[in-house]
Amino acid sequence: MRREEKRGERSRGGDMRGRREEGRRRGEEGSGYREEGRGEERKKRGEEVRVSGVPSPRRLRFKVINQNNLHISWKEPKGDFDKYKFRYNYIPGGHPREIDVPKTDSKVIITDYKPAKDYVIHVIAVRGGQQSKALQGTHKADHTDSDKGGETQPQRLKERVVPPDDANEISGVDPFRCHTEAIADIVILVDGSWSIGRINFRLVRLFLENLVNAFDIGIDKTRIGLAQYSGDPRIEWHLNAFTTKDSVIDAVKNLPYKGGNTLTGLALTYILENSFKPDSGSRPGVPKIGILITDGKSQDDVIPPAKTLRDAGVELFAIGVKNADENELQSIASEPDEGHVYNVADFSIMSSIVEGLTKIVCEQVEHQDKEIKTKQTVEEPETGAPSDFLVSEVTAKSFRVTWSPAPGQVEKYRVVYYLAQGGKPDEVVVDGSESSVLLEHLSSQKRYNVAVFPVYATTGGEGLRGFADTLSLAAVTDLELVDMSHSAMRARWSAVEGASGYMLLYTSLAGDGHWAEEKEVSHRKAIHSLRITLKSPDPESLKVSDATTELELDGLIPDTEYTVTVYAVFGEESSDPFTQQEKTLPLSPPRNLQFSKITHNSAHINWEPPQGAKGYRVSWAMTDGRVIDEVELGPVSFYDLGDLTSLTEYSVAVSALYDDGQSQSLDDGFTTAPAPGPLNLRASDVSADSLRVSWDHSASDVVLYKLSWTPLTGGNTREAILRGADDSYVLTALNPSTEYEVMLIGVFKDESESDTVAVTATTPSRQAARNLRLGEKTTHSMVASWELEDPLVEGYRVSYADSVDSADTAESVHLPAGMRRVVLQPLEPDTWYKVTLTPLYPDGQDGISAAVQGATLPLSSPSNLRVSEEWYSRFRVTWDPPSSPTTGYRIVYQPFSAAGPALDTVVGQNVNSVVIPNLQSGTEYGVQVSASFPGGHSEPLLGTAKTLFLGVSGLSTYQVRPNSMCVQWQPLSQATMYRAAIQSTLNRQRQEVSLGGGASRQCFHDLTPSSQYEISVHTRIRELEGPAVSVTDMTLPAPTDAPTPPPTTEAPPTIPPAKEVCKEAKADLVFLVDGSWSIGDDNFLKITRFLYSTMGSLDVVGPDGTQVAIAQFSDDARTEFQLSSHGNKEALLEAIQRIRYKGGNTKTGRAIKHVKESIFTPDGGARRGVPKVLVVLTDGRSQDDVNTVSKEMQVEGYIIFAIGFADADYGELVNIASKPSDRHVFFVDDLDAVKKIEEQLITFVCEAATATCPAVLMSGNTMAGFRMMEKFGLVEKEYGAVPGVSLEPGSFNSFPCYRLHRDALVSQPTKYLHPEGLPSDYTISMILRLLPETPQEPFALWEILNKEKEPLVGLILDNSEKTLTFFNYDYKGSFQTVTFEGLEIKKLFHGSFHKLHVSVSKTWVRVVLDCSPAGEKAISASGNITTDGMEVLGRMVRLRGTRENSAPFQLQMFDIICSTSWANRDKCCELPALVRYKHLPLSLSLSLSLSLSLSLSLSHSLTFTPS
């Protein structure tokens, strides 16, 4: 029976249901949880079980913290609940226990954990009286150890230990691993269709990761490739893409989600043709495995491609999830189904089948491997691929494929072809003797991909691939549109050979500019010409036989654009279209429209009639588009328009009317004549206060007249309305000495008006004032002045009012005749006023008035608000005055952070700057400045200002103990006193102490254990005290009596005493310990004893001395504890004894990088300004690169010691460790001999950790000294945070230097830079450059100040005297200076980069400039310095004003070396002029040459000539 028939029978039987149940049971058993009869168990306890409506917790996880603590966590349910019930029991011997857990917690720690017991856990969500189903699981016992301690109740975890969200297996279960010598090529085919979803696809990735993890992967081991499919498949990676398991797992974790349809059959064919190929990594003679993962039924046929894969020797496994079709899975997978077909209900339980699947795959790989090796003993037949792919006889529907035969005995050829743009593959099978086949029934003008596969008796050969393009169908090549009329046209074209008919589409261009919708009408008559008449204007489509090549289209719309398209039809396909476009003829309109007899209210029109017109439609409208009237006429050619409006433009349209419709209109226009105005307007009978006007009538249809008169010199216009029959009128109450303009308008019955006619007349004259003007304007006044020489005037009346107010509000001033100016006040600011001057005459009559307008000045605001002289309790506010004169200013200020009334102060008009006192420190204020004027205040000018914060920074606690704790802070340089207080938050118990301005720490004693305290520090500068800066911490619990220790074979270690060499050690010290498998438990115990003994040699452990961290590494690094974890030696040594052996491979490079990035950090407790020492212990060669990260750390100033034993590589130890190697590299045969090097190692480490002169990397060697650039923050990663500093090119373009701008005052506390003071002998080494703007006054390149800002030691440059001075205090406390001058010293002031060495010994000071001696002078032995002050760069010796100043200059390098011989060894290679190319390697010489040329170019642009 064939395979497919067997599958069909099984699918119809009841056996299928049995398999599904069995598969589901397998999934449940493999999930890692033990389901028990929870309902029965609760019934036994007498509980009421209600589970409906309450969601269950999810994802139970276990984590063993140590031998006494088991951590259990879970994920909260998706829904509403009140709390959890947590039940647990251990077996054998335990009894059930239960606690309530708040809903905010999802974790519990069992503190009486017994590793030798199995733990059964139940977690239940509770809401009201209802309970969810229990989430339960079992943590299996660890039989390697047992615990017989006492039992306690479980406690909730205070510190979060969060398990990863994507984990879905219980920790501690060892997964299956395939341990076989047989290897395989495994290709995984993953369904990436939309039905999977992104969330479920993450679970698929996790399943793939577990699957990959089960095999030993390598280039000569098992290989794994992967393809993803949906609508189209794609290769994610080939079999030969990765050579390690880690790289395959990384690729799985980054596998993208594809999305699309489900075409499984196409994907199976795809991996056969693309994945199982030699160039994709498939190897001959190696078992081939294919694993399919899908969640639904395929949308194409899967049986043929699956059979082809199986026939090609690929063993197929099919995994279905959720909606997968089990019949389809069985038709895909290899036989037997049991072991090759898996079907699980949900993605979340896919992990349940991993172990069973990998076991079966592993067994089948071994089975296939044996079969292959057995077959290899029999001579294999010759196989291969066809060649010489050739395409011929190409048409639109077919082409022929020809090839050269494949080698060997070919039984048949499979020719597979499909559309290149996607489509279902078709297949033709020909006999093995054939080498050609004609592929027919194809689509025209398409590309087809073709593959020819040889089929042998027992196997298939490689395919020959190619492609071919079918031709396009023949198309109509000419189309004519002729015999055009207003309703028809004829379409004519040439016949196309082979066409079965034609399709003609025609459509009109719609009025909105879009083509109308096409319709289809069939016609099958075999004629050469047709006439088609349209009954409606709808567009049409015609299909005609191959004999028809001409059509007449009738019933078209006149004057309409039509597009006509013809297709040649070949069966069900059609050719490319051929299109033409024409327009039907329009209907004839009238011609020669003319206008005559145009008056102000009528016109006559006439036109020439067209032939065939039945009548006319005439419409006329004003130019605004409003239709006045429309009329439809018979067969006439004229019409009279009446009732028109005068002087109006009219448009006239005349259209001819036909049976088929209306023609286009004939359009033209005309303008009516103006309404005629009155005739012969004249004045008579003129007197001082009256006159008569007369006129003649111009038309009979005037209904009234509008008469108006106005004084030409200004005044009110007066009007009169008269009857249309009136022809004269008398004007009265006129002003004497005034010229009047009289105007007359005729109004007609259509309410149109005639043109205005005018006449002027003058009453007897009087003089008016001249040159009336306004000046001397302020915000509240202005001066009016004028000229008038009239002896008859007896006084003046000056009236003024706001120009927008009525005349009723005007105010007046009366003046005697002799005055010519007056001050008008009080006025409103920024207001326009109209001022009228009227002469007064003795007869009581007013003279001619004159008027003028002017505006007062606005209340202008101040501008350019500036804030300066910020202090802790004050700042200065400055502004620019407004253009208008003021009476003073009002300054209002209020803090942003505090509610309450604002404060203000007032200053006089000549003040534009004021100091605001009595402010809160560190507070931002809003400031408003308003200008005061007699008329009010201006709009305020707004700004912000902030006082300096009077308080410490970096406040933190340390040395926290049960009865005491200490606090430390970054001091404020100007502080005179600190007030530190501690107060219990429980009982308000309080202690307070006052400290000096140089203090930076304080300890408090007699505290209560396990109590929370708040520590506050107030800063005072003389009488000014700032706000409190606070920190809260809790004292440690009171120590309890230690429990009785269990019997032990050796005495507990004692705390070793500190060694003398370590008494002054102060460093951050990290031990990196090898924990790989090659160490072993016994040797690792020896390592911890060695660490215990070594660390016991330290004196002070903690923030005030040496901080210690330990990390253990194998494949990755694990921080055992951080630098800040332990504040005393006892706690440190106790922590060392708790370190547990890790195990794994040896990845030393990765571990060193972990130390740099995770331990030597501020978060890890690393301190600034102390040596950083790393000690590496290893027993073998690293499996990764150690050179890169080791070199980086050495260059950055880390001190590295390397200790090797057993199989360690000495060369690798040298690369890891600092130089010289004889101080930093140690090697012993085994760990029993480590005692031999312990004393020397402790000595070298403690010397390197001595804070007085820490070790730094200098010219490739580790030396004692200080990297001052790093300590001042002048490095590329930190300079941006230093005010007044910018990065620029140095002596070479590749060397950075830092410009210290004027008044930058770069400084740091001395205790951070030199916590133990300066050594007795040292060399100051600098590369610097003075700038054109560097002042002539003396300044200190570098100096140390005490807390009173008095200089203790430093270097002074005097630009005017060209001298260099060194100063300090000798051992007797006397101040001493030595000054160097001369030609060599003057070079320092020449504006280029120079290297300066100043060596200070107990008896002399020596200066070396640019590696040449410049002088030596005797001094007394130096005294030490205090560390309560500051170290400053560039500080001016003499203050400018009340504030400290600093000089601008460039600084490229600044080191202090704890030796006086460094200047003699230095080569000054940083200076272009001193580079000795013959001593350098060729590549470095070329690099320096290029840098020198660029640097000289840049320096030339910056060089200046000193005065």
Side-chain angles (χ1 to χ4, degrees):
M1 185 182 294
R2 292 187 298 112
R3 175 183 176 87
E4 288 72 14
E5 295 172 353
K6 294 179 181 178
R7 296 186 185 280
E9 291 180 2
R10 282 199 303 270
S11 65
R12 290 188 294 267
D15 183 62
M16 180 62 67
R17 290 188 296 272
R19 290 184 185 277
R20 288 177 180 162
E21 294 301 324
E22 182 180 352
R24 189 173 295 111
R25 286 194 299 273
R26 288 202 301 266
E28 293 169 353
E29 291 168 1
S31 64
Y33 299 94
R34 295 186 176 180
E35 297 293 338
E36 301 176 1
R38 284 168 281 185
E40 293 298 326
E41 184 178 327
R42 292 180 187 173
K43 289 177 182 177
K44 292 177 183 178
R45 293 198 302 264
E47 295 183 6
E48 181 184 358
V49 180
R50 288 185 289 172
V51 298
S52 59
V54 182
S56 297
R58 303 169 292 151
R59 292 190 183 179
L60 191 63
R61 297 288 180 268
F62 300 95
K63 181 176 181 181
V64 178
I65 300 177
N66 53 44
Q67 63 180 4
N68 297 321
N69 293 277
L70 174 64
H71 173 248
I72 302 102
S73 64
W74 57 90
K75 198 163 186 179
E76 67 179 18
K78 296 181 178 178
D80 224 8
F81 67 102
D82 299 330
K83 63 179 181 179
Y84 299 104
K85 282 189 179 297
F86 180 84
R87 299 175 180 143
Y88 75 103
N89 187 16
Y90 63 82
I91 52 177
H95 56 275
R97 309 181 194 178
E98 178 180 302
I99 63 169
D100 286 342
V101 180
K103 66 178 295 184
T104 54
D105 286 348
S106 58
K107 59 190 73 68
V108 163
I109 290 182
I110 296 178
T111 56
D112 59 348
Y113 170 59
K114 303 179 186 303
K117 305 290 187 179
D118 288 349
Y119 278 78
V120 179
I121 306 298
H122 296 77
V123 184
I124 304 166
V126 179
R127 185 177 65 208
Q130 294 183 322
Q131 297 183 1
S132 71
K133 288 184 178 180
L135 169 65
Q136 63 183 36
T138 301
H139 179 67
K140 302 297 291 182
D142 179 6
H143 297 289
T144 60
D145 193 13
S146 61
D147 183 8
K148 300 180 180 179
E151 299 177 355
T152 61
Q153 288 294 324
Q155 302 174 358
R156 289 192 294 276
L157 186 62
K158 293 182 180 179
E159 298 182 2
R160 293 182 176 268
V161 182
V162 183
D165 284 342
D166 56 356
N168 68 345
E169 294 194 47
I170 298 171
S171 306
V173 178
D174 292 328
F176 173 77
R177 294 288 184 269
C178 181
H179 299 292
T180 176
E181 294 182 357
I183 61 176
D185 291 339
I186 302 176
V187 176
I188 304 172
L189 182 59
V190 179
D191 184 352
S193 60
W194 293 128
S195 58
I196 298 288
R198 297 190 180 278
I199 295 177
N200 288 332
F201 200 77
R202 296 177 189 168
L203 300 176
V204 173
R205 289 194 199 100
L206 181 62
F207 172 78
L208 293 174
E209 184 179 343
N210 294 334
L211 180 63
V212 170
N213 214 21
F215 295 95
D216 191 10
I217 297 173
I219 195 65
D220 56 351
K221 301 175 183 178
T222 293
R223 299 180 182 179
I224 293 183
L226 189 141
Q228 187 180 172
Y229 76 99
S230 53
D232 57 321
R234 72 182 180 203
I235 296 294
E236 299 293 351
W237 63 84
H238 281 299
L239 289 163
N240 54 4
F242 301 108
T243 59
T244 65
K245 181 187 296 186
D246 288 345
S247 57
V248 175
I249 290 176
D250 287 342
V252 168
K253 290 179 178 178
N254 296 311
L255 179 63
Y257 178 42
K258 189 173 186 295
N261 299 316
T262 309
L263 297 179
T264 310
L266 180 62
L268 292 170
T269 302
Y270 184 83
I271 63 171
L272 174 64
E273 297 176 1
N274 293 276
S275 295
F276 291 107
K277 293 176 57 181
D279 54 355
S280 301
S282 180
R283 296 165 289 184
V286 172
K288 305 292 188 294
I289 302 295
I291 300 175
L292 168 68
I293 302 173
T294 182
D295 80 323
K297 184 174 178 62
S298 175
Q299 297 171 358
D300 60 354
D301 192 4
V302 299
I303 294 177
K307 185 176 185 302
T308 304
L309 266 172
R310 294 194 301 269
D311 292 344
V314 179
E315 185 163 2
L316 292 179
F317 292 77
I319 301 170
V321 187
K322 291 183 71 172
N323 301 319
D325 187 329
E326 190 153 355
N327 290 335
E328 188 176 84
L329 298 177
Q330 291 176 351
S331 65
I332 293 173
S334 299
E335 290 187 343
D337 293 341
E338 186 170 350
H340 289 82
V341 178
Y342 296 81
N343 200 354
V344 294
D346 192 76
F347 288 91
S348 60
I349 59 172
M350 285 183 68
S351 58
S352 64
I353 65 170
V354 172
E355 184 166 349
L357 174 64
T358 52
K359 285 181 180 180
I360 296 295
V361 173
C362 187
E363 293 169 2
Q364 293 303 112
V365 168
E366 289 182 328
H367 180 70
Q368 276 198 49
D369 184 67
K370 293 177 182 178
E371 288 185 347
I372 290 172
K373 289 178 179 177
T374 302
K375 290 179 181 179
Q376 286 176 347
T377 59
V378 182
E379 182 178 357
E380 296 182 357
E382 182 181 9
T383 62
S387 59
D388 302 329
F389 184 87
L390 179 65
V391 177
S392 59
E393 303 176 24
V394 181
T395 70
K397 308 294 287 184
S398 65
F399 56 79
R400 179 174 293 279
V401 177
T402 307
W403 60 90
S404 297
Q409 188 65 36
V410 179
E411 290 191 353
K412 54 186 176 181
Y413 289 98
R414 291 175 54 245
V415 182
V416 180
Y417 58 99
Y418 54 92
L419 286 171
Q421 65 185 16
K424 183 177 179 181
D426 288 318
E427 181 177 316
V428 175
V429 178
V430 298
D431 191 80
S433 60
E434 298 290 337
S435 60
S436 176
V437 66
L438 180 65
L439 304 180
E440 299 180 290
H441 310 298
L442 308 179
S443 299
S444 61
Q445 208 170 355
K446 301 290 184 181
R447 170 162 291 188
Y448 282 84
N449 289 338
V450 183
V452 182
F453 296 96
V455 179
Y456 296 91
T458 60
T459 185
E462 286 287 330
L464 172 65
R465 289 172 173 79
F467 64 88
D469 297 317
T470 55
L471 302 179
S472 59
L473 297 171
V476 174
T477 58
D478 59 339
L479 172 64
E480 293 181 290
L481 301 178
V482 296
D483 301 339
M484 310 297 299
S485 70
H486 66 272
S487 62
M489 66 175 70
R490 182 175 295 277
R492 181 187 302 141
W493 64 93
S494 300
V496 177
E497 183 179 358
S500 59
Y502 303 94
M503 182 170 64
L504 184 141
L505 287 80
Y506 58 100
T507 183
S508 64
L509 185 63
D512 59 358
H514 296 285
W515 295 110
E517 180 185 0
E518 296 173 348
K519 297 183 179 179
E520 187 173 304
V521 178
S522 299
H523 202 289
R524 295 296 182 186
K525 287 186 179 180
I527 57 175
H528 293 281
S529 177
L530 289 172
R531 177 183 177 91
I532 304 300
T533 301
L534 287 178
K535 299 303 181 183
S536 68
D538 292 337
E540 301 289 348
S541 172
L542 305 175
K543 288 185 179 178
V544 298
S545 69
D546 59 337
T548 302
T549 58
E550 184 174 319
L551 284 173
E552 182 176 355
L553 309 177
D554 199 1
L556 306 182
I557 303 171
D559 195 24
T560 301
E561 195 84 28
Y562 279 87
T563 177
V564 181
T565 302
V566 178
Y567 297 83
V569 178
F570 298 82
E572 296 300 322
E573 291 192 81
S574 60
S575 69
D576 291 338
F578 192 92
T579 303
Q580 290 284 25
Q581 187 171 315
E582 282 293 349
K583 190 175 185 180
T584 53
L585 300 179
L587 296 172
S588 300
R591 300 181 299 278
N592 193 19
L593 179 62
Q594 295 183 345
F595 303 94
S596 60
K597 301 178 183 179
I598 300 174
T599 70
H600 69 282
N601 62 357
S602 65
H604 177 78
I605 63 172
N606 62 283
W607 60 88
E608 295 180 11
Q611 184 177 3
K614 304 298 183 181
Y616 301 92
R617 178 176 285 109
V618 180
S619 61
W620 60 99
M622 294 181 178
T623 53
D624 60 3
R626 178 167 53 89
V627 176
I628 297 301
D629 206 348
E630 183 177 83
V631 63
E632 198 167 305
L633 307 173
V636 298
S637 60
F638 64 89
Y639 187 70
D640 289 319
L641 306 178
D643 295 328
L644 305 182
T645 302
S646 64
L647 202 62
T648 301
E649 185 176 1
Y650 284 87
S651 60
V652 179
V654 181
S655 302
L657 302 178
Y658 296 86
D659 292 335
D660 292 330
Q662 177 179 307
S663 73
Q664 288 185 344
S665 63
L666 175 62
D667 299 332
D668 206 346
F670 69 93
T671 302
T672 53
L679 303 176
N680 192 21
L681 181 65
R682 54 201 179 274
S684 60
D685 303 335
V686 180
S687 67
D689 60 352
S690 66
L691 60 87
R692 175 181 291 276
V693 289
S694 305
W695 63 91
D696 298 331
H697 299 297
S698 62
S700 60
D701 55 346
V702 176
V703 295
L704 57 88
Y705 288 100
K706 290 182 180 179
L707 181 68
S708 62
W709 59 97
T710 305
L712 290 178
T713 58
N716 294 329
T717 300
R718 298 165 64 187
E719 292 184 349
I721 304 298
L722 307 177
R723 294 180 296 113
D726 293 340
D727 58 1
S728 66
Y729 187 75
V730 177
L731 310 182
T732 58
L734 304 182
N735 294 325
S737 304
T738 303
E739 184 178 15
Y740 283 88
E741 179 181 37
V742 182
M743 293 168 287
L744 183 63
I745 299 173
V747 180
F748 295 83
K749 63 180 180 180
D750 63 353
E751 298 184 358
S752 62
E753 296 181 351
S754 70
D755 290 339
T756 301
V757 294
V759 67
T760 60
T762 304
T763 57
S765 62
R766 284 181 176 176
Q767 295 183 3
R770 304 186 307 277
N771 295 333
L772 176 61
R773 54 185 178 272
L774 301 175
E776 302 179 26
K777 299 175 181 177
T778 70
T779 59
H780 64 288
S781 66
M782 63 178 74
V783 175
S785 62
W786 61 91
E787 298 174 5
L788 179 61
E789 300 299 334
D790 188 350
L792 300 178
V793 174
E794 68 174 6
Y796 299 95
R797 182 175 67 249
V798 181
S799 302
Y800 57 95
D802 187 340
S803 60
V804 300
D805 291 341
S806 65
D808 297 339
T809 62
E811 297 188 24
S812 298
V813 178
H814 288 79
L815 305 173
M819 294 191 66
R820 297 291 185 272
R821 67 192 306 273
V822 63
V823 178
L824 305 178
Q825 63 181 358
L827 305 180
E828 294 294 326
D830 195 20
T831 303
W832 282 91
Y833 284 88
K834 180 179 180 181
V835 180
T836 304
L837 173 68
T838 305
L840 304 177
Y841 289 88
D843 60 1
Q845 295 292 323
D846 291 345
I848 301 173
S849 298
V852 68
Q853 287 190 333
T856 53
L857 298 181
L859 301 179
S860 302
S861 300
S863 60
N864 192 19
L865 182 65
R866 308 179 294 281
V867 179
S868 60
E869 302 179 19
E870 297 92 334
W871 188 243
Y872 301 101
S873 61
R874 65 178 183 270
F875 50 73
R876 177 177 292 277
V877 179
T878 307
W879 61 91
D880 292 342
S883 57
S884 307
T886 69
T887 60
Y889 299 93
R890 179 170 180 255
I891 300 92
V892 180
Y893 53 97
Q894 184 177 23
F896 285 123
S897 59
L903 302 177
D904 67 345
T905 183
V906 178
V907 297
Q909 61 184 0
N910 297 323
V911 178
N912 72 328
S913 181
V914 64
V915 174
I916 309 296
N918 303 324
L919 303 179
Q920 304 172 21
S921 74
T923 303
E924 188 171 14
Y925 284 81
V927 181
Q928 303 179 11
V929 180
S930 303
S932 300
F933 298 92
H937 296 279
S938 70
E939 288 294 321
L941 173 63
L942 305 179
T944 61
K946 188 174 183 179
T947 54
L948 301 181
F949 179 67
L950 182 54
V952 300
S953 59
L955 186 67
S956 62
T957 58
Y958 69 100
Q959 291 188 1
V960 179
R961 292 178 170 76
N963 301 105
S964 66
M965 69 171 66
C966 299
V967 66
Q968 58 186 357
W969 61 86
Q970 176 78 30
L972 195 65
S973 57
Q974 297 90 350
T976 58
M977 190 185 82
Y978 296 103
R979 183 164 59 87
I982 185 170
Q983 180 171 301
S984 170
T985 60
L986 181 63
N987 56 19
R988 317 310 292 177
Q989 174 190 358
R990 179 179 176 87
Q991 298 180 30
E992 184 173 316
V993 62
S994 296
L995 306 171
S1000 63
R1001 62 187 65 188
Q1002 173 64 27
C1003 293
F1004 295 93
H1005 302 277
D1006 300 326
L1007 305 181
T1008 303
S1010 299
S1011 296
Q1012 190 177 56
Y1013 285 88
E1014 180 183 31
I1015 303 178
S1016 303
V1017 177
H1018 293 263
T1019 305
R1020 296 189 67 174
I1021 298 180
R1022 289 181 290 278
E1023 300 303 320
L1024 181 64
E1025 182 175 273
V1029 179
S1030 302
V1031 65
T1032 301
D1033 205 344
M1034 179 174 284
T1035 53
L1036 299 178
T1040 57
D1041 295 335
T1044 304
T1048 179
T1049 56
E1050 58 183 39
T1054 59
I1055 299 176
K1059 295 187 180 294
E1060 189 64 28
V1061 71
C1062 297
K1063 289 293 180 66
E1064 300 298 324
K1066 184 176 183 179
D1068 288 340
L1069 176 59
V1070 178
F1071 279 80
L1072 182 59
V1073 179
D1074 189 343
S1076 61
W1077 294 129
S1078 56
I1079 295 291
D1081 290 309
D1082 293 338
N1083 280 335
F1084 192 82
L1085 182 59
K1086 295 175 183 178
I1087 289 176
T1088 57
R1089 291 172 180 169
F1090 169 72
L1091 294 175
Y1092 188 97
S1093 176
T1094 305
M1095 295 301 95
S1097 302
L1098 299 175
D1099 185 16
V1100 179
V1101 173
D1104 294 330
T1106 298
Q1107 295 188 149
V1108 179
I1110 294 180
Q1112 185 183 172
F1113 72 97
S1114 54
D1115 292 283
D1116 54 5
R1118 180 178 73 199
T1119 303
E1120 301 295 346
F1121 49 84
Q1122 293 279 14
L1123 291 165
S1124 57
S1125 296
H1126 305 295
N1128 55 71
K1129 189 195 291 189
E1130 294 87 347
L1132 171 65
L1133 297 179
E1134 183 181 349
I1136 291 174
Q1137 292 179 299
R1138 292 197 299 266
I1139 297 175
R1140 294 294 176 261
Y1141 179 40
K1142 189 174 187 295
N1145 298 310
T1146 307
K1147 299 289 180 68
T1148 313
R1150 181 186 296 180
I1152 296 175
K1153 185 177 182 181
H1154 170 81
V1155 170
K1156 179 185 177 186
E1157 296 178 350
S1158 300
I1159 298 180
F1160 281 127
T1161 63
D1163 292 340
R1167 296 165 293 178
R1168 184 175 177 180
V1170 301
K1172 293 176 174 54
V1173 183
L1174 171 62
V1175 181
V1176 180
L1177 291 88
T1178 181
D1179 78 327
R1181 183 176 181 83
S1182 176
Q1183 296 172 357
D1184 62 353
D1185 175 47
V1186 300
N1187 296 341
T1188 302
V1189 64
S1190 300
K1191 184 63 66 179
E1192 287 176 357
M1193 293 185 69
Q1194 294 172 32
V1195 170
E1196 293 174 13
Y1198 292 86
I1199 306 163
I1200 305 177
F1201 292 83
I1203 304 173
F1205 49 92
D1207 298 323
D1209 186 333
Y1210 185 80
E1212 187 174 82
L1213 299 177
V1214 171
N1215 291 333
I1216 293 173
S1218 300
K1219 306 296 180 291
S1221 299
D1222 56 356
R1223 283 185 64 92
H1224 297 90
V1225 179
F1226 298 87
F1227 191 89
V1228 293
D1229 292 333
D1230 53 42
L1231 284 168
D1232 293 326
V1234 75
K1235 275 290 184 182
K1236 300 176 183 178
I1237 65 168
E1238 182 176 330
E1239 189 70 23
Q1240 191 177 30
L1241 173 68
I1242 292 171
T1243 300
F1244 288 168
V1245 169
C1246 287
E1247 287 178 353
T1250 301
T1252 304
C1253 278
V1256 297
L1257 189 68
M1258 197 79 67
S1259 298
N1261 288 305
T1262 303
M1263 304 178 61
F1266 303 88
R1267 286 282 197 189
M1268 300 298 288
M1269 297 290 282
E1270 297 176 7
K1271 292 180 178 292
F1272 278 105
L1274 300 181
V1275 292
E1276 290 191 42
K1277 295 181 179 179
E1278 299 179 18
Y1279 81 93
V1282 182
V1285 175
S1286 60
L1287 180 66
E1288 298 179 349
S1291 56
F1292 289 104
N1293 276 354
S1294 58
F1295 292 175
C1297 82
Y1298 299 88
R1299 179 188 287 257
L1300 279 66
H1301 295 268
R1302 184 182 303 277
D1303 298 338
L1305 279 172
V1306 177
S1307 62
Q1308 285 290 331
T1310 306
K1311 65 179 180 180
Y1312 291 159
L1313 274 59
H1314 300 101
E1316 304 299 328
L1318 292 171
S1320 58
D1321 298 327
Y1322 56 93
T1323 297
I1324 303 167
S1325 180
M1326 288 184 168
I1327 297 179
L1328 69 150
R1329 175 175 177 263
L1330 302 187
L1331 303 170
E1333 58 266 31
T1334 303
Q1336 296 296 309
E1337 296 91 340
F1339 69 93
L1341 275 175
W1342 161 77
E1343 65 180 343
I1344 300 178
L1345 310 176
N1346 62 15
K1347 64 180 179 179
E1348 285 78 24
K1349 297 189 177 179
E1350 297 171 342
L1352 301 178
V1353 60
L1355 287 175
I1356 295 177
L1357 286 180
D1358 190 337
N1359 204 359
S1360 61
E1361 300 296 331
K1362 304 296 186 286
T1363 61
L1364 170 67
T1365 300
F1366 172 80
F1367 67 88
N1368 70 357
Y1369 282 87
D1370 65 12
Y1371 68 97
K1372 297 179 181 178
S1374 301
F1375 190 75
Q1376 57 181 349
T1377 63
V1378 286
T1379 300
F1380 298 86
E1381 55 190 354
L1383 294 178
E1384 288 296 322
I1385 296 298
K1386 287 182 178 179
K1387 293 179 182 178
L1388 193 60
F1389 301 90
H1390 285 175
S1392 57
F1393 281 98
H1394 295 279
K1395 191 163 191 178
L1396 174 66
H1397 294 292
V1398 179
S1399 300
V1400 182
S1401 76
K1402 298 179 180 65
T1403 57
W1404 47 259
V1405 175
R1406 179 182 298 141
V1407 175
V1408 177
L1409 184 63
D1410 299 340
C1411 289
S1412 297
E1416 180 179 319
K1417 295 194 177 183
I1419 61 169
S1420 300
S1422 304
N1424 208 345
I1425 60 172
T1426 63
T1427 61
D1428 56 358
M1430 306 290 289
E1431 299 192 28
V1432 190
L1433 298 177
R1435 181 172 180 265
M1436 301 295 295
V1437 173
R1438 291 184 289 274
L1439 299 181
R1440 296 178 176 178
T1442 59
R1443 301 180 63 178
E1444 293 186 333
N1445 311 101
S1446 66
F1449 65 98
Q1450 287 179 309
L1451 186 62
Q1452 179 173 315
M1453 187 205 74
F1454 181 15
D1455 294 320
I1456 296 180
I1457 299 94
C1458 299
S1459 167
T1460 56
S1461 63
W1462 172 244
N1464 300 328
R1465 290 183 281 161
D1466 195 6
K1467 303 299 182 184
C1468 294
C1469 292
E1470 302 92 343
L1471 303 180
L1474 300 182
V1475 174
R1476 298 172 175 85
Y1477 297 101
K1478 63 183 180 179
H1479 299 303
L1480 298 175
L1482 176 59
S1483 60
L1484 182 56
S1485 298
L1486 292 175
S1487 174
L1488 289 174
S1489 297
L1490 177 59
S1491 298
L1492 176 59
S1493 64
L1494 294 173
S1495 179
L1496 290 176
S1497 172
L1498 178 63
S1499 298
H1500 179 71
S1501 65
L1502 299 175
T1503 303
F1504 68 97
T1505 303
S1507 59

